[in-house]
Structure formats: structure tokens, C-alpha cells
Amino acid sequence: MNVSPPVTLINVFTVDPTKQEELIDLLTRATEASVRHAPGFISARLHRSLDGRKVTMYAQWESRDAYQAMREDPGPRPYLERAVAIATFELGMYEVVQTFLPEAPRAA
């Protein structure tokens, strides 16, 4: 059985600092209402930059096909159209090649 690793999407939005909260709200509503219910969705994390100019979403999907199927779903479309109207974004699709965790504490 050939199982492919999950794909990770890292979307970096650049936004006017006065619109950062609006963008976060749009992405949160899209994810809560639709995206997280799509087949193949694993998880997502939403990040805001401290300077107010960036919003980054890190999401994992079981496969590229699962992600593409969600993109074709009309449910999240109004949120995402509004998001790209107030921000520019760069989409990146990745696969995890290494995970680093803290060293386990040593027993006393």
C-alpha cells in the first residue's frame, strides 16, 4: 500500500495593519464554517505578525487532491474572495522533511 505524506500549505498574506484583524476574522470564519469540515483536512494554525503587516496560515491536508477539492467547494469562496481583496498573498505547498522536538529531560 503506497501512502503519500500529507501536504502542508503555508499562505503568507500581506495586509495593511489597519486590516489585519479583519483578515484574521475572515480566515477564521472560512476555516470554522467550511474548510475544517472538508474531507482530508488535518489541521490549521493562524498566525499574525507583531507589526500588523502579515497573517500566515499553516494548514495540513492528507493530499494535494483533498486540498484541491476544498478549493473547488463554493462554501469558503466568499471569505477567500474578500481576503484577497484586502490583502495580497503567497501560497506555498510543502511536504515535511524533518521534525525537531526538544530533547527529553534526563532522569535525575
Side-chain angles (χ1 to χ4, degrees), residues 24-38 41 43-46 57 61 70 75-76 79-80:
I24 289 168
D25 181 58
L26 285 165
L27 296 172
T28 297
R29 287 188 288 145
T31 304
E32 286 288 343
S34 184
V35 175
R36 70 188 299 235
H37 304 286
F41 175 80
S43 69
R45 291 187 175 188
L46 190 57
M57 182 164 259
W61 290 85
M70 180 280 301
Y79 301 107
L80 301 176

Side-chain angles (χ1 to χ4, degrees), residues 40-54:
F41 175 80
I42 296 172
S43 69
R45 291 187 175 188
L46 190 57
H47 307 262
R48 81 168 112 227
S49 67
L50 298 179
D51 67 3
R53 298 184 186 284
K54 303 273 186 191

Side-chain angles (χ1 to χ4, degrees), residues 6 11 22-23 30-32 35 39 43 56 59 65-67 72 83 87 89-90 97 99 101 108:
N11 296 324
E22 180 181 354
L23 180 60
T31 304
E32 286 288 343
V35 175
S43 69
T56 301
D65 290 343
Y67 170 72
E72 294 169 12
F89 82 103
E90 183 178 332
V97 294
T99 299
L101 300 172

Side-chain angles (χ1 to χ4, degrees), residues 73-87:
D73 180 350
R77 192 167 295 139
Y79 301 107
L80 301 176
E81 287 174 354
R82 176 66 185 139
V84 297
I86 64 171

Side-chain angles (χ1 to χ4, degrees), residues 1-24:
M1 184 187 221
N2 187 8
V3 177
S4 59
V7 294
T8 301
L9 277 84
I10 302 174
N11 296 324
V12 180
F13 294 84
T14 302
V15 64
D16 183 287
T18 64
K19 299 282 188 182
Q20 187 188 51
E21 284 304 314
E22 180 181 354
L23 180 60
I24 289 168

